[in-house]
Amino acid sequence: TKGATRRQQHTTQQSHSLAMEEESIYNLIPHTEAPPPKAPLFKSRFHDPPPPRRDMGTMGPLHVARPEPTNYLRRGAGPMSQSALRTGSASSSTAAHSTRKSLAGGNDNSNGTASREHKTAKGPTPKRAELAKSMHAALPSPTTKNFVDANKTEALRDVPKKKLKEEFNYLQKKDYGEVPGYLHRVQQEIVEEKEYLEMQERERRQANFHGPKVRELSEEEKQDLVTALKAKWEKIRSVYVKMPMTVDTISQRMKKEEMENQMTSIEKDITALSKQHVYVHEEE
């Protein structure tokens, strides 16, 4: 009975907690899922151990002693103080003197070549009088030329400059807007060349034609033929217009078609005669 009572209480608590979770206002807020924990870094058992650590290998000693506050830099005890500089200059001059002495002593048998090499290339300092004399020689010599009179003479002898020519206004020309004469000549040459080529082509066709002889109709013959064809066409048209609108018999229909064919043929002939060059077979 106790176990049943406990189970019932546990079930009641779970149902109550679920009801509370469903009815809670915080359930409306979206919950972010926590990322899963990362797996531990893999380390191989065959990995080489790190090299032994060296003291002061890269950045100095590990532990540096702090300076004592009472042992500060005193006045006149620095590396750039007057006493240090005097001591350093004296020691350097002594070392240089000893070096020159050793070199001079070691090269006594070389006829003084080493000593000449160590001599300075500069000459002696010039005197004040010599320096003034050299500067006076470098200055230009004084002149007695009168620049005012020279400028006047040059201005009198100078030739005046020519004035710039005024720009010509092409809009005021006499032949402005007209066709140039050379264009007329070029156009005439083109027409003559075209006629010459047409004449050569006509002669070539006549020379290569092996059938019946042909000749070119003159303008008068073409006009006569066109006039005759127009009269014939007008005559056929007058008859064609007088025919009834409705054609019932076969003979009337055939006659109408024949007149239409004749008028169409006459129109084609008139169009052919309207060309610039017309050739006809010459009768023997």
Side-chain angles (χ1 to χ4, degrees), residues 210-233:
H210 299 288
K213 294 182 180 181
V214 294
R215 65 180 183 87
E216 184 180 359
L217 292 177
S218 61
E219 292 294 333
E220 296 178 357
E221 292 176 342
K222 286 192 293 184
Q223 291 295 332
D224 294 342
L225 290 173
V226 169
T227 304
L229 289 172
K230 285 183 178 180
K232 185 177 179 181
W233 183 86

mmCIF file with all atom_site columns, all heavy atoms in Angstrom, residues 210-233:
data_model
loop_
_atom_site.group_PDB
_atom_site.id
_atom_site.type_symbol
_atom_site.label_atom_id
_atom_site.label_alt_id
_atom_site.label_comp_id
_atom_site.label_asym_id
_atom_site.label_entity_id
_atom_site.label_seq_id
_atom_site.pdbx_PDB_ins_code
_atom_site.Cartn_x
_atom_site.Cartn_y
_atom_site.Cartn_z
_atom_site.occupancy
_atom_site.B_iso_or_equiv
_atom_site.pdbx_formal_charge
_atom_site.auth_seq_id
_atom_site.auth_comp_id
_atom_site.auth_asym_id
_atom_site.auth_atom_id
_atom_site.pdbx_PDB_model_num
ATOM 1   N N   . HIS A 1 210 ? 26.706 34.214 -132.324 1.00 0.00 ? 210 HIS A N   1
ATOM 2   C CA  . HIS A 1 210 ? 26.860 33.392 -133.523 1.00 0.00 ? 210 HIS A CA  1
ATOM 3   C C   . HIS A 1 210 ? 25.533 33.065 -134.184 1.00 0.00 ? 210 HIS A C   1
ATOM 4   O O   . HIS A 1 210 ? 25.494 32.352 -135.180 1.00 0.00 ? 210 HIS A O   1
ATOM 5   C CB  . HIS A 1 210 ? 27.568 32.079 -133.160 1.00 0.00 ? 210 HIS A CB  1
ATOM 6   C CG  . HIS A 1 210 ? 28.941 32.301 -132.602 1.00 0.00 ? 210 HIS A CG  1
ATOM 7   N ND1 . HIS A 1 210 ? 30.012 32.722 -133.369 1.00 0.00 ? 210 HIS A ND1 1
ATOM 8   C CD2 . HIS A 1 210 ? 29.401 32.215 -131.335 1.00 0.00 ? 210 HIS A CD2 1
ATOM 9   C CE1 . HIS A 1 210 ? 31.089 32.842 -132.601 1.00 0.00 ? 210 HIS A CE1 1
ATOM 10  N NE2 . HIS A 1 210 ? 30.744 32.537 -131.355 1.00 0.00 ? 210 HIS A NE2 1
ATOM 11  N N   . GLY A 1 211 ? 24.397 33.520 -133.626 1.00 0.00 ? 211 GLY A N   1
ATOM 12  C CA  . GLY A 1 211 ? 23.086 33.253 -134.215 1.00 0.00 ? 211 GLY A CA  1
ATOM 13  C C   . GLY A 1 211 ? 22.770 34.283 -135.292 1.00 0.00 ? 211 GLY A C   1
ATOM 14  O O   . GLY A 1 211 ? 23.658 34.852 -135.929 1.00 0.00 ? 211 GLY A O   1
ATOM 15  N N   . PRO A 1 212 ? 21.492 34.557 -135.493 1.00 0.00 ? 212 PRO A N   1
ATOM 16  C CA  . PRO A 1 212 ? 21.097 35.580 -136.469 1.00 0.00 ? 212 PRO A CA  1
ATOM 17  C C   . PRO A 1 212 ? 21.585 36.958 -136.028 1.00 0.00 ? 212 PRO A C   1
ATOM 18  O O   . PRO A 1 212 ? 21.704 37.241 -134.838 1.00 0.00 ? 212 PRO A O   1
ATOM 19  C CB  . PRO A 1 212 ? 19.572 35.495 -136.475 1.00 0.00 ? 212 PRO A CB  1
ATOM 20  C CG  . PRO A 1 212 ? 19.227 34.825 -135.194 1.00 0.00 ? 212 PRO A CG  1
ATOM 21  C CD  . PRO A 1 212 ? 20.347 33.889 -134.884 1.00 0.00 ? 212 PRO A CD  1
ATOM 22  N N   . LYS A 1 213 ? 21.833 37.801 -136.990 1.00 0.00 ? 213 LYS A N   1
ATOM 23  C CA  . LYS A 1 213 ? 22.354 39.123 -136.703 1.00 0.00 ? 213 LYS A CA  1
ATOM 24  C C   . LYS A 1 213 ? 21.290 39.976 -136.027 1.00 0.00 ? 213 LYS A C   1
ATOM 25  O O   . LYS A 1 213 ? 20.103 39.872 -136.323 1.00 0.00 ? 213 LYS A O   1
ATOM 26  C CB  . LYS A 1 213 ? 22.824 39.795 -137.984 1.00 0.00 ? 213 LYS A CB  1
ATOM 27  C CG  . LYS A 1 213 ? 24.015 39.100 -138.630 1.00 0.00 ? 213 LYS A CG  1
ATOM 28  C CD  . LYS A 1 213 ? 24.475 39.842 -139.861 1.00 0.00 ? 213 LYS A CD  1
ATOM 29  C CE  . LYS A 1 213 ? 25.680 39.146 -140.506 1.00 0.00 ? 213 LYS A CE  1
ATOM 30  N NZ  . LYS A 1 213 ? 26.141 39.880 -141.703 1.00 0.00 ? 213 LYS A NZ  1
ATOM 31  N N   . VAL A 1 214 ? 21.746 40.811 -135.114 1.00 0.00 ? 214 VAL A N   1
ATOM 32  C CA  . VAL A 1 214 ? 20.842 41.718 -134.409 1.00 0.00 ? 214 VAL A CA  1
ATOM 33  C C   . VAL A 1 214 ? 21.362 43.138 -134.584 1.00 0.00 ? 214 VAL A C   1
ATOM 34  O O   . VAL A 1 214 ? 22.535 43.358 -134.873 1.00 0.00 ? 214 VAL A O   1
ATOM 35  C CB  . VAL A 1 214 ? 20.762 41.359 -132.902 1.00 0.00 ? 214 VAL A CB  1
ATOM 36  C CG1 . VAL A 1 214 ? 20.123 40.005 -132.696 1.00 0.00 ? 214 VAL A CG1 1
ATOM 37  C CG2 . VAL A 1 214 ? 22.137 41.407 -132.260 1.00 0.00 ? 214 VAL A CG2 1
ATOM 38  N N   . ARG A 1 215 ? 20.453 44.056 -134.366 1.00 0.00 ? 215 ARG A N   1
ATOM 39  C CA  . ARG A 1 215 ? 20.825 45.465 -134.427 1.00 0.00 ? 215 ARG A CA  1
ATOM 40  C C   . ARG A 1 215 ? 20.031 46.227 -133.367 1.00 0.00 ? 215 ARG A C   1
ATOM 41  O O   . ARG A 1 215 ? 18.996 45.773 -132.892 1.00 0.00 ? 215 ARG A O   1
ATOM 42  C CB  . ARG A 1 215 ? 20.556 46.045 -135.811 1.00 0.00 ? 215 ARG A CB  1
ATOM 43  C CG  . ARG A 1 215 ? 19.091 46.084 -136.184 1.00 0.00 ? 215 ARG A CG  1
ATOM 44  C CD  . ARG A 1 215 ? 18.898 46.672 -137.572 1.00 0.00 ? 215 ARG A CD  1
ATOM 45  N NE  . ARG A 1 215 ? 17.494 46.768 -137.912 1.00 0.00 ? 215 ARG A NE  1
ATOM 46  C CZ  . ARG A 1 215 ? 16.714 47.804 -137.595 1.00 0.00 ? 215 ARG A CZ  1
ATOM 47  N NH1 . ARG A 1 215 ? 17.229 48.839 -136.935 1.00 0.00 ? 215 ARG A NH1 1
ATOM 48  N NH2 . ARG A 1 215 ? 15.444 47.833 -137.947 1.00 0.00 ? 215 ARG A NH2 1
ATOM 49  N N   . GLU A 1 216 ? 20.558 47.385 -133.022 1.00 0.00 ? 216 GLU A N   1
ATOM 50  C CA  . GLU A 1 216 ? 19.914 48.207 -132.006 1.00 0.00 ? 216 GLU A CA  1
ATOM 51  C C   . GLU A 1 216 ? 18.948 49.175 -132.661 1.00 0.00 ? 216 GLU A C   1
ATOM 52  O O   . GLU A 1 216 ? 19.263 49.797 -133.688 1.00 0.00 ? 216 GLU A O   1
ATOM 53  C CB  . GLU A 1 216 ? 20.959 48.986 -131.211 1.00 0.00 ? 216 GLU A CB  1
ATOM 54  C CG  . GLU A 1 216 ? 20.374 49.799 -130.071 1.00 0.00 ? 216 GLU A CG  1
ATOM 55  C CD  . GLU A 1 216 ? 21.439 50.563 -129.316 1.00 0.00 ? 216 GLU A CD  1
ATOM 56  O OE1 . GLU A 1 216 ? 22.633 50.442 -129.682 1.00 0.00 ? 216 GLU A OE1 1
ATOM 57  O OE2 . GLU A 1 216 ? 21.085 51.289 -128.350 1.00 0.00 ? 216 GLU A OE2 1
ATOM 58  N N   . LEU A 1 217 ? 17.741 49.268 -132.102 1.00 0.00 ? 217 LEU A N   1
ATOM 59  C CA  . LEU A 1 217 ? 16.740 50.185 -132.631 1.00 0.00 ? 217 LEU A CA  1
ATOM 60  C C   . LEU A 1 217 ? 17.104 51.608 -132.258 1.00 0.00 ? 217 LEU A C   1
ATOM 61  O O   . LEU A 1 217 ? 17.571 51.893 -131.143 1.00 0.00 ? 217 LEU A O   1
ATOM 62  C CB  . LEU A 1 217 ? 15.355 49.844 -132.066 1.00 0.00 ? 217 LEU A CB  1
ATOM 63  C CG  . LEU A 1 217 ? 14.730 48.507 -132.517 1.00 0.00 ? 217 LEU A CG  1
ATOM 64  C CD1 . LEU A 1 217 ? 13.406 48.300 -131.808 1.00 0.00 ? 217 LEU A CD1 1
ATOM 65  C CD2 . LEU A 1 217 ? 14.538 48.471 -134.025 1.00 0.00 ? 217 LEU A CD2 1
ATOM 66  N N   . SER A 1 218 ? 16.855 52.506 -133.165 1.00 0.00 ? 218 SER A N   1
ATOM 67  C CA  . SER A 1 218 ? 17.081 53.918 -132.885 1.00 0.00 ? 218 SER A CA  1
ATOM 68  C C   . SER A 1 218 ? 15.907 54.479 -132.072 1.00 0.00 ? 218 SER A C   1
ATOM 69  O O   . SER A 1 218 ? 14.873 53.841 -131.894 1.00 0.00 ? 218 SER A O   1
ATOM 70  C CB  . SER A 1 218 ? 17.265 54.693 -134.189 1.00 0.00 ? 218 SER A CB  1
ATOM 71  O OG  . SER A 1 218 ? 16.088 54.582 -134.980 1.00 0.00 ? 218 SER A OG  1
ATOM 72  N N   . GLU A 1 219 ? 16.075 55.712 -131.611 1.00 0.00 ? 219 GLU A N   1
ATOM 73  C CA  . GLU A 1 219 ? 15.024 56.324 -130.815 1.00 0.00 ? 219 GLU A CA  1
ATOM 74  C C   . GLU A 1 219 ? 13.766 56.562 -131.652 1.00 0.00 ? 219 GLU A C   1
ATOM 75  O O   . GLU A 1 219 ? 12.641 56.408 -131.151 1.00 0.00 ? 219 GLU A O   1
ATOM 76  C CB  . GLU A 1 219 ? 15.536 57.646 -130.220 1.00 0.00 ? 219 GLU A CB  1
ATOM 77  C CG  . GLU A 1 219 ? 16.623 57.482 -129.166 1.00 0.00 ? 219 GLU A CG  1
ATOM 78  C CD  . GLU A 1 219 ? 16.094 56.794 -127.922 1.00 0.00 ? 219 GLU A CD  1
ATOM 79  O OE1 . GLU A 1 219 ? 14.883 56.912 -127.648 1.00 0.00 ? 219 GLU A OE1 1
ATOM 80  O OE2 . GLU A 1 219 ? 16.889 56.137 -127.230 1.00 0.00 ? 219 GLU A OE2 1
ATOM 81  N N   . GLU A 1 220 ? 13.933 56.913 -132.894 1.00 0.00 ? 220 GLU A N   1
ATOM 82  C CA  . GLU A 1 220 ? 12.766 57.156 -133.759 1.00 0.00 ? 220 GLU A CA  1
ATOM 83  C C   . GLU A 1 220 ? 11.995 55.860 -133.991 1.00 0.00 ? 220 GLU A C   1
ATOM 84  O O   . GLU A 1 220 ? 10.752 55.843 -133.927 1.00 0.00 ? 220 GLU A O   1
ATOM 85  C CB  . GLU A 1 220 ? 13.221 57.751 -135.096 1.00 0.00 ? 220 GLU A CB  1
ATOM 86  C CG  . GLU A 1 220 ? 13.862 59.117 -134.959 1.00 0.00 ? 220 GLU A CG  1
ATOM 87  C CD  . GLU A 1 220 ? 14.341 59.655 -136.298 1.00 0.00 ? 220 GLU A CD  1
ATOM 88  O OE1 . GLU A 1 220 ? 14.195 58.905 -137.294 1.00 0.00 ? 220 GLU A OE1 1
ATOM 89  O OE2 . GLU A 1 220 ? 14.867 60.782 -136.349 1.00 0.00 ? 220 GLU A OE2 1
ATOM 90  N N   . GLU A 1 221 ? 12.710 54.760 -134.236 1.00 0.00 ? 221 GLU A N   1
ATOM 91  C CA  . GLU A 1 221 ? 12.021 53.481 -134.451 1.00 0.00 ? 221 GLU A CA  1
ATOM 92  C C   . GLU A 1 221 ? 11.293 53.032 -133.174 1.00 0.00 ? 221 GLU A C   1
ATOM 93  O O   . GLU A 1 221 ? 10.167 52.516 -133.243 1.00 0.00 ? 221 GLU A O   1
ATOM 94  C CB  . GLU A 1 221 ? 13.034 52.423 -134.878 1.00 0.00 ? 221 GLU A CB  1
ATOM 95  C CG  . GLU A 1 221 ? 13.627 52.676 -136.258 1.00 0.00 ? 221 GLU A CG  1
ATOM 96  C CD  . GLU A 1 221 ? 14.699 51.673 -136.626 1.00 0.00 ? 221 GLU A CD  1
ATOM 97  O OE1 . GLU A 1 221 ? 15.228 51.002 -135.689 1.00 0.00 ? 221 GLU A OE1 1
ATOM 98  O OE2 . GLU A 1 221 ? 15.003 51.534 -137.821 1.00 0.00 ? 221 GLU A OE2 1
ATOM 99  N N   . LYS A 1 222 ? 11.907 53.249 -132.030 1.00 0.00 ? 222 LYS A N   1
ATOM 100 C CA  . LYS A 1 222 ? 11.244 52.861 -130.791 1.00 0.00 ? 222 LYS A CA  1
ATOM 101 C C   . LYS A 1 222 ? 9.991  53.690 -130.560 1.00 0.00 ? 222 LYS A C   1
ATOM 102 O O   . LYS A 1 222 ? 8.955  53.168 -130.129 1.00 0.00 ? 222 LYS A O   1
ATOM 103 C CB  . LYS A 1 222 ? 12.225 53.016 -129.621 1.00 0.00 ? 222 LYS A CB  1
ATOM 104 C CG  . LYS A 1 222 ? 13.292 51.956 -129.577 1.00 0.00 ? 222 LYS A CG  1
ATOM 105 C CD  . LYS A 1 222 ? 14.050 51.957 -128.278 1.00 0.00 ? 222 LYS A CD  1
ATOM 106 C CE  . LYS A 1 222 ? 14.884 53.212 -128.102 1.00 0.00 ? 222 LYS A CE  1
ATOM 107 N NZ  . LYS A 1 222 ? 15.697 53.169 -126.866 1.00 0.00 ? 222 LYS A NZ  1
ATOM 108 N N   . GLN A 1 223 ? 10.056 54.999 -130.848 1.00 0.00 ? 223 GLN A N   1
ATOM 109 C CA  . GLN A 1 223 ? 8.884  55.839 -130.662 1.00 0.00 ? 223 GLN A CA  1
ATOM 110 C C   . GLN A 1 223 ? 7.751  55.428 -131.609 1.00 0.00 ? 223 GLN A C   1
ATOM 111 O O   . GLN A 1 223 ? 6.567  55.403 -131.219 1.00 0.00 ? 223 GLN A O   1
ATOM 112 C CB  . GLN A 1 223 ? 9.257  57.308 -130.891 1.00 0.00 ? 223 GLN A CB  1
ATOM 113 C CG  . GLN A 1 223 ? 10.160 57.888 -129.813 1.00 0.00 ? 223 GLN A CG  1
ATOM 114 C CD  . GLN A 1 223 ? 9.482  57.948 -128.457 1.00 0.00 ? 223 GLN A CD  1
ATOM 115 O OE1 . GLN A 1 223 ? 8.246  58.055 -128.376 1.00 0.00 ? 223 GLN A OE1 1
ATOM 116 N NE2 . GLN A 1 223 ? 10.276 57.876 -127.395 1.00 0.00 ? 223 GLN A NE2 1
ATOM 117 N N   . ASP A 1 224 ? 8.085  55.110 -132.861 1.00 0.00 ? 224 ASP A N   1
ATOM 118 C CA  . ASP A 1 224 ? 7.055  54.673 -133.819 1.00 0.00 ? 224 ASP A CA  1
ATOM 119 C C   . ASP A 1 224 ? 6.384  53.386 -133.352 1.00 0.00 ? 224 ASP A C   1
ATOM 120 O O   . ASP A 1 224 ? 5.149  53.240 -133.423 1.00 0.00 ? 224 ASP A O   1
ATOM 121 C CB  . ASP A 1 224 ? 7.678  54.474 -135.203 1.00 0.00 ? 224 ASP A CB  1
ATOM 122 C CG  . ASP A 1 224 ? 8.173  55.789 -135.784 1.00 0.00 ? 224 ASP A CG  1
ATOM 123 O OD1 . ASP A 1 224 ? 7.734  56.852 -135.282 1.00 0.00 ? 224 ASP A OD1 1
ATOM 124 O OD2 . ASP A 1 224 ? 9.036  55.760 -136.688 1.00 0.00 ? 224 ASP A OD2 1
ATOM 125 N N   . LEU A 1 225 ? 7.196  52.432 -132.889 1.00 0.00 ? 225 LEU A N   1
ATOM 126 C CA  . LEU A 1 225 ? 6.628  51.167 -132.418 1.00 0.00 ? 225 LEU A CA  1
ATOM 127 C C   . LEU A 1 225 ? 5.748  51.367 -131.184 1.00 0.00 ? 225 LEU A C   1
ATOM 128 O O   . LEU A 1 225 ? 4.675  50.765 -131.074 1.00 0.00 ? 225 LEU A O   1
ATOM 129 C CB  . LEU A 1 225 ? 7.758  50.182 -132.100 1.00 0.00 ? 225 LEU A CB  1
ATOM 130 C CG  . LEU A 1 225 ? 8.528  49.637 -133.303 1.00 0.00 ? 225 LEU A CG  1
ATOM 131 C CD1 . LEU A 1 225 ? 9.722  48.803 -132.840 1.00 0.00 ? 225 LEU A CD1 1
ATOM 132 C CD2 . LEU A 1 225 ? 7.612  48.776 -134.174 1.00 0.00 ? 225 LEU A CD2 1
ATOM 133 N N   . VAL A 1 226 ? 6.201  52.214 -130.278 1.00 0.00 ? 226 VAL A N   1
ATOM 134 C CA  . VAL A 1 226 ? 5.406  52.473 -129.058 1.00 0.00 ? 226 VAL A CA  1
ATOM 135 C C   . VAL A 1 226 ? 4.083  53.139 -129.423 1.00 0.00 ? 226 VAL A C   1
ATOM 136 O O   . VAL A 1 226 ? 3.021  52.797 -128.877 1.00 0.00 ? 226 VAL A O   1
ATOM 137 C CB  . VAL A 1 226 ? 6.220  53.338 -128.069 1.00 0.00 ? 226 VAL A CB  1
ATOM 138 C CG1 . VAL A 1 226 ? 5.333  53.834 -126.930 1.00 0.00 ? 226 VAL A CG1 1
ATOM 139 C CG2 . VAL A 1 226 ? 7.381  52.553 -127.502 1.00 0.00 ? 226 VAL A CG2 1
ATOM 140 N N   . THR A 1 227 ? 4.106  54.080 -130.382 1.00 0.00 ? 227 THR A N   1
ATOM 141 C CA  . THR A 1 227 ? 2.869  54.745 -130.803 1.00 0.00 ? 227 THR A CA  1
ATOM 142 C C   . THR A 1 227 ? 1.904  53.758 -131.452 1.00 0.00 ? 227 THR A C   1
ATOM 143 O O   . THR A 1 227 ? 0.690  53.774 -131.168 1.00 0.00 ? 227 THR A O   1
ATOM 144 C CB  . THR A 1 227 ? 3.202  55.880 -131.776 1.00 0.00 ? 227 THR A CB  1
ATOM 145 O OG1 . THR A 1 227 ? 4.136  56.774 -131.160 1.00 0.00 ? 227 THR A OG1 1
ATOM 146 C CG2 . THR A 1 227 ? 1.957  56.653 -132.166 1.00 0.00 ? 227 THR A CG2 1
ATOM 147 N N   . ALA A 1 228 ? 2.421  52.875 -132.291 1.00 0.00 ? 228 ALA A N   1
ATOM 148 C CA  . ALA A 1 228 ? 1.556  51.878 -132.942 1.00 0.00 ? 228 ALA A CA  1
ATOM 149 C C   . ALA A 1 228 ? 0.976  50.909 -131.922 1.00 0.00 ? 228 ALA A C   1
ATOM 150 O O   . ALA A 1 228 ? -0.209 50.533 -131.992 1.00 0.00 ? 228 ALA A O   1
ATOM 151 C CB  . ALA A 1 228 ? 2.359  51.133 -134.003 1.00 0.00 ? 228 ALA A CB  1
ATOM 152 N N   . LEU A 1 229 ? 1.774  50.475 -130.979 1.00 0.00 ? 229 LEU A N   1
ATOM 153 C CA  . LEU A 1 229 ? 1.271  49.552 -129.966 1.00 0.00 ? 229 LEU A CA  1
ATOM 154 C C   . LEU A 1 229 ? 0.221  50.201 -129.075 1.00 0.00 ? 229 LEU A C   1
ATOM 155 O O   . LEU A 1 229 ? -0.774 49.558 -128.699 1.00 0.00 ? 229 LEU A O   1
ATOM 156 C CB  . LEU A 1 229 ? 2.453  49.057 -129.102 1.00 0.00 ? 229 LEU A CB  1
ATOM 157 C CG  . LEU A 1 229 ? 3.428  48.101 -129.786 1.00 0.00 ? 229 LEU A CG  1
ATOM 158 C CD1 . LEU A 1 229 ? 4.636  47.844 -128.894 1.00 0.00 ? 229 LEU A CD1 1
ATOM 159 C CD2 . LEU A 1 229 ? 2.750  46.770 -130.127 1.00 0.00 ? 229 LEU A CD2 1
ATOM 160 N N   . LYS A 1 230 ? 0.400  51.460 -128.747 1.00 0.00 ? 230 LYS A N   1
ATOM 161 C CA  . LYS A 1 230 ? -0.595 52.147 -127.935 1.00 0.00 ? 230 LYS A CA  1
ATOM 162 C C   . LYS A 1 230 ? -1.920 52.278 -128.692 1.00 0.00 ? 230 LYS A C   1
ATOM 163 O O   . LYS A 1 230 ? -3.002 52.130 -128.098 1.00 0.00 ? 230 LYS A O   1
ATOM 164 C CB  . LYS A 1 230 ? -0.088 53.528 -127.534 1.00 0.00 ? 230 LYS A CB  1
ATOM 165 C CG  . LYS A 1 230 ? 0.973  53.484 -126.444 1.00 0.00 ? 230 LYS A CG  1
ATOM 166 C CD  . LYS A 1 230 ? 1.399  54.878 -126.030 1.00 0.00 ? 230 LYS A CD  1
ATOM 167 C CE  . LYS A 1 230 ? 2.438  54.815 -124.903 1.00 0.00 ? 230 LYS A CE  1
ATOM 168 N NZ  . LYS A 1 230 ? 2.876  56.175 -124.477 1.00 0.00 ? 230 LYS A NZ  1
ATOM 169 N N   . ALA A 1 231 ? -1.846 52.568 -130.020 1.00 0.00 ? 231 ALA A N   1
ATOM 170 C CA  . ALA A 1 231 ? -3.073 52.664 -130.819 1.00 0.00 ? 231 ALA A CA  1
ATOM 171 C C   . ALA A 1 231 ? -3.785 51.318 -130.885 1.00 0.00 ? 231 ALA A C   1
ATOM 172 O O   . ALA A 1 231 ? -5.024 51.235 -130.764 1.00 0.00 ? 231 ALA A O   1
ATOM 173 C CB  . ALA A 1 231 ? -2.725 53.168 -132.224 1.00 0.00 ? 231 ALA A CB  1
ATOM 174 N N   . LYS A 1 232 ? -3.017 50.257 -131.041 1.00 0.00 ? 232 LYS A N   1
ATOM 175 C CA  . LYS A 1 232 ? -3.611 48.918 -131.084 1.00 0.00 ? 232 LYS A CA  1
ATOM 176 C C   . LYS A 1 232 ? -4.240 48.565 -129.743 1.00 0.00 ? 232 LYS A C   1
ATOM 177 O O   . LYS A 1 232 ? -5.328 47.991 -129.686 1.00 0.00 ? 232 LYS A O   1
ATOM 178 C CB  . LYS A 1 232 ? -2.530 47.909 -131.455 1.00 0.00 ? 232 LYS A CB  1
ATOM 179 C CG  . LYS A 1 232 ? -3.049 46.500 -131.648 1.00 0.00 ? 232 LYS A CG  1
ATOM 180 C CD  . LYS A 1 232 ? -1.932 45.575 -132.092 1.00 0.00 ? 232 LYS A CD  1
ATOM 181 C CE  . LYS A 1 232 ? -2.441 44.149 -132.268 1.00 0.00 ? 232 LYS A CE  1
ATOM 182 N NZ  . LYS A 1 232 ? -1.362 43.221 -132.680 1.00 0.00 ? 232 LYS A NZ  1
ATOM 183 N N   . TRP A 1 233 ? -3.556 48.950 -128.661 1.00 0.00 ? 233 TRP A N   1
ATOM 184 C CA  . TRP A 1 233 ? -4.096 48.646 -127.332 1.00 0.00 ? 233 TRP A CA  1
ATOM 185 C C   . TRP A 1 233 ? -5.389 49.417 -127.075 1.00 0.00 ? 233 TRP A C   1
ATOM 186 O O   . TRP A 1 233 ? -6.334 48.892 -126.506 1.00 0.00 ? 233 TRP A O   1
ATOM 187 C CB  . TRP A 1 233 ? -3.040 49.021 -126.300 1.00 0.00 ? 233 TRP A CB  1
ATOM 188 C CG  . TRP A 1 233 ? -3.453 48.691 -124.881 1.00 0.00 ? 233 TRP A CG  1
ATOM 189 C CD1 . TRP A 1 233 ? -3.294 47.523 -124.245 1.00 0.00 ? 233 TRP A CD1 1
ATOM 190 C CD2 . TRP A 1 233 ? -4.089 49.583 -123.964 1.00 0.00 ? 233 TRP A CD2 1
ATOM 191 N NE1 . TRP A 1 233 ? -3.777 47.582 -122.960 1.00 0.00 ? 233 TRP A NE1 1
ATOM 192 C CE2 . TRP A 1 233 ? -4.287 48.868 -122.758 1.00 0.00 ? 233 TRP A CE2 1
ATOM 193 C CE3 . TRP A 1 233 ? -4.511 50.914 -124.024 1.00 0.00 ? 233 TRP A CE3 1
ATOM 194 C CZ2 . TRP A 1 233 ? -4.894 49.420 -121.640 1.00 0.00 ? 233 TRP A CZ2 1
ATOM 195 C CZ3 . TRP A 1 233 ? -5.107 51.459 -122.913 1.00 0.00 ? 233 TRP A CZ3 1
ATOM 196 C CH2 . TRP A 1 233 ? -5.297 50.724 -121.726 1.00 0.00 ? 233 TRP A CH2 1
#
